[in-house]
């Protein structure tokens, strides 16, 4: 439910009653992954999605029923062979949906954390005894937690420890533990939803292609920084949608700013005096993606210069250059789209090839880095 946190947070502040349906398990070619949510308030207003449209009507009714009777339920939806227009996933997948009325507890704090960009993990029981279904705790990065799952006190401590590990990686998914907090007790399934600050995209080079890439980066959920050593080009007027504008030599800025395993670095300067020291440093960092713009001739010359300053072949193998996928792009917008597509393919493990005529999965299991506010393991 944290991916629709802003609207739900407003509902809480307005005192509106609502129920939330959350995807807790998927199988086959399901359109949404664990953590995807749809919410319905007492006036019948709906936000979010659990299936991209396949079963939204039935889930909407379940939310209204939860508001009436106060019960938490789990429903399974799958493909209908007899009637493709009946309630079911015509794409052939299976999803399990947790439907619960939201009435106080840790939910307001979880939504507030998500809206403010604070790291936190919402942990809910999604499979177990009826009296425990939907119970939740909120886990913070230091391992402290709010709320009670119920039953054995060791259950809360174990669940918080497991959730903290998932929060560290920005992951969302399910875990199984015993009701007494051990691996041997009556089994429970918990859904852990990690809310983490948006991942960073740092665009080096304040050129027209960068302006288009900023827009794509924001669309993909990144916190976007533009860095250039030339103050006449690195201005808010030229990059109004960027979160930050930094006037500094790129390699010096990279040495002083925070990056992590979700950060993507896009080098658009294609000028050796900027590129070489920047890439020399960037290729040693544990970031998700390093791409550099330039022709194939520029690429070969740049690689030669990088080898001369000690960059290893293993480090060079991490460099995506020329940057982007082969879309035949020419305009800044088309080029930005090709770069964004390559970043997504790299994150999700996609091949970048056309789906038409292919026999590869449409959805790949496991991203190589967590996504923005709601990190997902699928």
């Amino acid at each position: 439910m944290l991916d629709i946190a802003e609207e739900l947070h407003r509902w809480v502040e307005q005192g509106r009653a609502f129920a939330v349906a959350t995807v807790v398990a998927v199988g086959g070619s399901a359109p949404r992954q664990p953590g995807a949510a749809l919410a319905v308030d007492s006036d019948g207003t709906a936000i979010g999605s659990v299936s991209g449209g396949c079963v939204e009507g039935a889930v909407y009714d379940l939310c209204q029923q939860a508001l009436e009777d106060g019960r938490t339920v789990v429903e399974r939806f799958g493909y209908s062979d007899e009637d493709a227009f009946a309630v079911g996933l015509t794409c052939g997948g299976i999803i399990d949906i947790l439907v619960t009325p939201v009435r106080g507890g840790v939910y307001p704090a979880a939504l507030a954390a998500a809206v403010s960009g604070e790291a936190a993990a919402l942990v809910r029981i999604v499979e177990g005894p009826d009296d425990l279904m939907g119970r939740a705790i909120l886990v913070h990065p230091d391992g402290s937690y709010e709320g009670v799952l119920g039953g054995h006190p060791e259950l809360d401590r174990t669940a918080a420890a497991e959730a903290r590990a998932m929060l560290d990686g920005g992951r969302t998914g399910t875990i199984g533990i015993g009701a007494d907090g051990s691996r041997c007790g009556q089994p429970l399934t918990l859904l852990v939803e990690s809310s983490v600050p948006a991942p960073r995209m740092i665009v080096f080079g304040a050129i027209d292609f960068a302006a288009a890439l900023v827009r794509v980066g924001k669309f993909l959920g990144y916190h976007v920084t533009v860095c250039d050593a030339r103050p006449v080009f690195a201005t808010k007027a030229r990059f109004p949608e960027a979160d930050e504008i930094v006037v500094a030599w790129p390699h010096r800025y990279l040495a002083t700013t925070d990056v992590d395993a979700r950060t993507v670095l896009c080098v658009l300067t294609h000028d050796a005096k900027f590129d070489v020291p920047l890439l020399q440093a960037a290729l040693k960092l544990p970031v998700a993606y390093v791409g550099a713009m330039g022709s194939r001739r520029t690429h070969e010359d740049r690689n030669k210069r990088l080898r001369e300053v000690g960059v290893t072949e293993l480090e060079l193998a991490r460099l995506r250059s020329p940057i982007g996928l082969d879309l035949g792009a020419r305009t800044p917008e088309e080029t930005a789209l090709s770069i964004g597509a390559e970043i997504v393919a790299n994150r999700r493990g996609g091949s970048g090839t056309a789906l038409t005529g292919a026999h590869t999965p449409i959805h790949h299991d496991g991203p190589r880095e967590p996504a923005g506010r709601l990190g997902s393991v699928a």
Side-chain angles (χ1 to χ4, degrees):
M1 60 187 287
L2 300 184
D3 60 350
I4 52 174
E6 291 187 12
E7 185 64 27
L8 294 186
H9 183 59
R10 282 194 288 271
W11 287 6
V12 169
E13 291 183 324
Q14 294 165 1
R16 295 160 72 174
F18 61 92
V20 174
T22 307
V23 177
V24 298
V26 302
S29 184
R32 301 297 307 277
Q33 297 302 317
L38 179 147
V40 179
D41 74 357
S42 54
D43 293 331
T45 302
I47 58 171
S49 171
V50 292
S51 70
C54 302
V55 300
E56 310 298 274
V59 174
Y60 179 91
D61 292 340
L62 288 172
C63 286
Q64 289 191 312
Q65 183 64 40
L67 283 169
E68 291 179 10
D69 60 27
R71 295 181 61 245
T72 295
V73 298
V74 173
E75 290 285 341
R76 172 166 291 183
F77 296 91
Y79 179 70
S80 172
D81 291 315
E82 296 179 358
D83 183 359
F85 295 98
V87 173
L89 294 170
T90 56
C91 57
I94 296 173
I95 57 175
D96 289 343
I97 305 288
L98 172 75
V99 183
T100 184
V102 176
R103 293 170 179 167
V106 300
Y107 291 107
L111 295 171
V115 169
S116 64
E118 299 175 21
L122 179 65
V123 184
R124 288 185 280 172
I125 298 175
V126 298
E127 186 175 348
D130 289 344
D131 61 331
L132 298 182
M133 291 289 289
R135 296 248 187 128
I137 61 173
L138 182 66
V139 180
H140 302 286
D142 62 359
S144 62
Y145 59 91
E146 306 170 42
V148 177
L149 291 176
H152 200 285
E154 192 63 28
L155 171 61
D156 294 335
R157 289 191 287 271
T158 302
E162 295 281 354
R164 182 186 182 187
M166 294 184 70
L167 178 60
D168 286 344
R171 302 194 309 276
T172 286
T174 55
I175 57 175
I177 61 176
D180 60 357
S182 71
R183 297 293 182 181
C184 304
Q186 181 181 5
L188 298 175
T189 300
L190 309 180
L191 174 68
V192 179
E193 292 180 78
S194 292
S195 172
V196 293
R200 295 193 69 189
M201 171 185 284
I202 308 178
V203 181
F204 297 98
I207 62 175
D208 52 353
F209 288 91
L213 183 56
V214 167
R215 294 193 292 273
V216 169
K218 293 300 296 178
F219 177 75
L220 292 176
Y222 286 92
H223 178 95
V224 183
T225 300
V226 175
C227 175
D228 197 297
R230 303 164 297 178
V232 68
F233 295 116
T235 66
K236 192 65 178 177
R238 298 189 69 224
F239 301 96
E241 296 177 69
D243 296 290
E244 297 175 290
I245 308 292
V246 176
V247 179
W249 276 76
H251 70 286
R252 293 173 184 164
Y253 173 68
L254 185 60
T256 60
T257 193
D258 293 329
V259 298
D260 59 25
R262 302 184 301 147
T263 303
V264 300
L265 307 177
C266 301
V267 181
L268 309 187
T269 47
H270 52 79
D271 183 329
K273 69 176 179 289
F274 294 122
D275 289 2
V276 172
L278 173 59
L279 291 172
Q280 182 183 8
L283 293 172
K284 297 181 186 301
L285 296 175
V287 295
Y289 173 93
V290 181
M293 177 177 278
S295 67
R296 297 198 182 278
R297 173 183 280 184
T298 298
H299 167 73
E300 294 300 328
D301 177 70
R302 187 166 49 212
N303 278 6
K304 177 176 178 291
R305 292 172 184 267
L306 288 170
R307 291 186 181 98
E308 289 172 351
V309 296
V311 176
T312 68
E313 295 301 320
L314 187 61
E315 290 168 343
L316 276 178
R318 297 184 59 211
L319 178 60
R320 309 303 294 242
S321 174
I323 195 170
L325 297 183
D326 179 13
L327 304 184
R330 288 191 175 274
T331 68
E333 290 73 19
E334 291 171 348
T335 302
L337 179 61
S338 78
I339 296 170
E342 183 174 59
I343 289 170
V344 172
N346 182 70
R347 188 167 98 191
R348 299 298 185 187
S351 66
T353 59
L355 293 174
T356 302
H359 299 286
T360 56
I362 294 177
H363 305 293
H364 292 260
D365 293 330
R368 298 183 182 179
E369 53 146 319
R373 171 176 293 152
L374 185 64
S376 173
V377 296

